[in-house]
Amino acid sequence: MILIPLGSPNLDLEEGWPSPMSADPKTPATPTASVTSTPAATGTGPSGPSGSSAGRSLKPKDLITVGIFTALYFVVFFGFGMLGFFGPAVHAVGIVLGSLANGIVFALYVTRIRKPGMVFLTAIVSSLLMVLTGHAWTTLITAALFSALAELVLAGGRYRSARASVIAYGVFSLWVAGPMLPLYFQHNAYIANISKQMGEDYARAWDTLFSPTFMAGLLVLVFLASCLGGLLGQKMLRKHFVRAGIA
């Protein structure tokens, strides 16, 4: 903010001193005090009540928004994840389709975001729900990592860039790798747990399918599907939600 001085400090040098032509030679020249006004302090700067630190903190209405969209996101995500009951390959397809579908939810979510931390909270809450339903603790790590990166992308676009929103969602969606990471460093325990829950045939098929190469390819597909879902969400925003006054 540009602060406008209450008075003008631009006094000419000769105005502060008597002219030597008119001064009494016996009387020494006395400098005239020059008063420079100081801009009035306001409460709108960084340290004021409406400064950047206060304005960027999450308010109750922001937390309500987080709760609503986290619930929407998780219902879609978990719903497509239920396809995993039909087999490991179908589970992988469900992950990709869920990422695609949630692009619409995320696009609408971003229209409500103007402060950092909201996407991060969505990831943490979603990953906590995953852990509480029996998934690996590594879900929390990937959720924190990729949501933090998504926050940086959104901030780079000042929370108003459609392109940043699409890329941020693509990055954000990569947190889905978390539940499956123990397969590669706690292999026997992970497969034993799947075998206990879903049966030996299912566990064997999972072990065969989810090689490191397949996992890498799956994450690429998740990123691309998420970006496509984000673009679809942006199109729907312009065509339906903005017109209806929702976004």
Side-chain angles (χ1 to χ4, degrees), residues 31-50:
T32 302
S34 175
V35 179
T36 302
S37 61
T38 302
T42 66
T44 58
S47 59
S50 59

Side-chain angles (χ1 to χ4, degrees), residues 106 117-125 127 139-154 168 171-175:
F106 195 87
M118 297 175 72
V119 170
F120 183 81
L121 284 177
T122 292
I124 295 301
V125 172
S127 60
T139 308
L140 287 168
I141 296 177
T142 56
L145 172 62
F146 290 112
S147 64
L149 292 175
E151 288 276 6
L152 292 176
V153 175
L154 286 174
V171 174
F172 172 83
S173 296
L174 296 178
W175 76 271

Side-chain angles (χ1 to χ4, degrees), residues 159-217:
Y159 299 95
R160 295 183 181 275
S161 168
R163 179 181 298 179
S165 171
V166 170
I167 297 175
Y169 177 58
V171 174
F172 172 83
S173 296
L174 296 178
W175 76 271
V176 299
M180 296 172 280
L181 286 182
L183 175 64
Y184 307 106
F185 63 90
Q186 291 180 333
H187 178 271
N188 293 336
Y190 186 82
I191 293 300
N193 185 54
I194 293 179
S195 179
K196 181 180 179 181
Q197 294 183 10
M198 305 297 295
E200 293 183 4
D201 291 340
Y202 190 101
R204 192 178 304 111
W206 185 286
D207 192 17
T208 301
L209 179 64
F210 281 88
S211 64
T213 301
F214 179 84
M215 185 65 177

Side-chain angles (χ1 to χ4, degrees), residues 35-169:
V35 179
T36 302
S37 61
T38 302
T42 66
T44 58
S47 59
S50 59
S52 59
S53 59
R56 291 167 70 88
S57 60
L58 296 180
K59 303 292 192 299
K61 66 177 182 178
D62 298 318
L63 298 178
I64 293 173
T65 299
V66 170
I68 292 172
F69 281 94
T70 299
L72 290 173
Y73 173 85
F74 191 78
V75 166
V76 174
F77 173 79
F78 202 81
F80 278 95
M82 296 294 287
L83 293 175
F85 283 107
F86 296 100
V90 183
H91 179 74
V93 173
I95 291 175
V96 175
L97 293 179
S99 299
L100 176 66
N102 260 326
I104 300 172
V105 177
F106 195 87
L108 186 57
Y109 187 20
V110 171
T111 64
R112 302 292 198 275
I113 296 176
R114 293 294 179 267
K115 301 172 185 176
M118 297 175 72
V119 170
F120 183 81
L121 284 177
T122 292
I124 295 301
V125 172
S126 298
S127 60
L128 280 173
L129 291 174
M130 291 288 287
V131 172
L132 290 175
T133 54
H135 294 82
W137 58 270
T138 49
T139 308
L140 287 168
I141 296 177
T142 56
L145 172 62
F146 290 112
S147 64
L149 292 175
E151 288 276 6
L152 292 176
V153 175
L154 286 174
R158 298 182 182 273
Y159 299 95
R160 295 183 181 275
S161 168
R163 179 181 298 179
S165 171
V166 170
I167 297 175
Y169 177 58

